[in-house]
Amino acid sequence: MRIFGGLPRMYWYLWTGMLINRVGGFVALVLSLYLTADRGLTPSVAGLVVGGYGIGGIAGVLLGGVLADLWGRRPTLLVAHFGAAVLLVGLALTDRIAAIAVLAALLGLMHSMPGPAFVAAIVDVTPADDRSRAFNLQFWAFNLGMAVASLVAGALAEVSFTLLFSVDAAGTLITALLILWKVRETRPEHHARHETAATPGGLHTALTDPAFMLFVGLSLLLAVVTLQTSTILPLAINADGLRPSAYGSVVAYAGLLIVVGQLFVPKLIGRWRKGTALAVANVLLGLGFAYVALADNLYGYLIAASIWTVGSMIAAPPNAAVIAELSPEALRGRYQSVFYLVFPAASFIAPAAGGASLEHLGNWHWAICGALGLAAAAGHLLIQPARERRVAKQRAAERFEVPIAG
């Protein structure tokens, strides 16, 4: 079976850059721990600072998509990575809380900017028949890099947070230099002219599409629950008296489980309806995070991680498929950009609300996460029939070249 071969060389430069960047990109994983353990902030205040990182990410997603089309993929990637390296050095050197908050927000912007440019570049250089395999390998690299980053982050946090920021900056700089050296501009020369002349509608079409926005809303619930891993979970582990390396081990274990298990998920859920698969995934995610309330040692957290990680693996294939099938062919980029905002939005909501929830409600916070997972599961089952009718109607219209209003 062909897994790694046959893809363009330029794709592999992009893939390598993403992998190096992810291995080095571990500051966001321990930012809340740094603010509470090293800077003495309360969980609520730390959550707001980390939430600022998410706000910056929202702006970064939009800015990155616009610049990738106006400037090109390569300049956008270079600005984002060189900018992030400078900001990480700033975080390593400053101890003023106000400055840390501003730098964190700007870092969120720079960390989110490359996403649309990376995706656009991969589409530019990869033949249509190979794109599914290319993005599967991208997802695999993301989780492999996350697993390694988690182990490194936990170990470095026990030595020095300044060293942690410095190593992250070095990894980001290496990615920028690789892009500068090996990645050419991939944007088609006719892109801008074609975009303005031939593409109907705009972001408002996606934002006023009821079926799509219901799905986006449920995906936001999923993302808020999932991002407890990188925002609130470190605080719970620290409160149980475990060392930072324990958190690194939990996240690394989850990442490695995805790297190994994701290969078998498509066959497991191949005959399931997409809404059913997403419902099962959300139930498992909710149960996994609810189990954190019972965990008080490393083994308990590993059990919880096993449950929520299986949910994450089941969610990935149908999630991508639903986005693709709800997107009109001429507006796929805009629909993707709207969906992409889910993650920086969740990066703000998860720590901002989660920090206060954990501080004032204790372990009931994790019960609330479980309830959110169950609510999202119910939502997917409820909207499934209408969404399937919408998709069938859209496909029939496209066969007969009849335009469908969003």
Side-chain angles (χ1 to χ4, degrees), residues 215-386:
F215 179 77
V216 168
L218 293 173
S219 299
L220 180 60
L221 284 180
L222 171 69
V224 167
V225 174
T226 302
L227 282 177
Q228 301 301 306
T229 304
S230 59
T231 56
I232 305 304
L233 187 67
L235 303 180
I237 290 177
N238 185 61
D240 282 330
L242 301 177
R243 299 168 64 185
S245 57
Y247 169 68
S249 298
V250 170
V251 180
Y253 166 75
L256 290 173
L257 194 59
I258 290 176
V259 169
V260 175
Q262 194 68 42
L263 299 175
F264 304 98
V265 168
K267 185 176 181 180
L268 172 66
I269 67 172
R271 296 187 179 182
W272 296 8
R273 295 166 70 186
K274 296 180 182 69
T276 303
L278 287 167
V280 171
N282 277 274
V283 167
L284 289 172
L285 277 158
L287 291 177
F289 283 102
Y291 189 84
V292 172
L294 305 177
D296 57 4
N297 55 44
L298 178 59
Y299 298 107
Y301 283 104
L302 290 176
I303 291 172
S306 299
I307 301 170
W308 80 58
T309 301
V310 172
S312 296
M313 290 191 293
I314 292 176
N319 207 42
V322 169
I323 299 165
E325 68 185 12
L326 286 177
S327 305
E329 184 175 354
L331 298 174
R332 283 175 182 164
R334 291 170 175 80
Y335 271 63
Q336 287 286 348
S337 67
V338 171
F339 179 79
Y340 217 105
L341 289 174
V342 162
F343 305 104
S347 294
F348 170 73
I349 296 171
S357 175
L358 183 68
E359 182 177 357
H360 297 294
L361 300 178
N363 279 336
W364 282 105
H365 166 76
W366 303 108
I368 292 172
C369 291
L372 289 176
L374 295 178
H380 280 295
L381 293 176
L382 288 173
I383 70 171
Q384 179 168 244

Side-chain angles (χ1 to χ4, degrees), residues 14 17-18 21-22 57 60-61 63-65 68 73-82 84 107-122 138 172 175 179 340:
L14 293 164
M18 286 186 286
N21 191 41
R22 181 49 50 186
V61 166
L63 183 61
R73 301 12 170 167
R74 186 173 183 267
T76 304
L77 292 172
L78 289 174
V79 167
H81 285 89
F82 279 120
L107 184 64
L109 185 145
M110 291 297 175
H111 275 172
S112 294
M113 274 180 60
F118 267 131
V119 172
I122 289 173
Q138 178 198 359
T172 304
T175 305
I179 294 168
Y340 217 105

Side-chain angles (χ1 to χ4, degrees), residues 198-218:
T199 305
L203 285 175
H204 71 277
T205 306
L207 291 169
T208 56
D209 182 335
F212 178 70
M213 292 308 296
L214 279 172
F215 179 77
V216 168
L218 293 173

Side-chain angles (χ1 to χ4, degrees), residues 377-400:
H380 280 295
L381 293 176
L382 288 173
I383 70 171
Q384 179 168 244
R387 191 190 71 245
E388 290 176 342
R389 289 193 298 270
R390 147 74 182 273
V391 171
K393 181 180 178 182
Q394 184 165 304
R395 287 176 177 171
E398 289 174 352
R399 279 198 299 270
F400 293 101

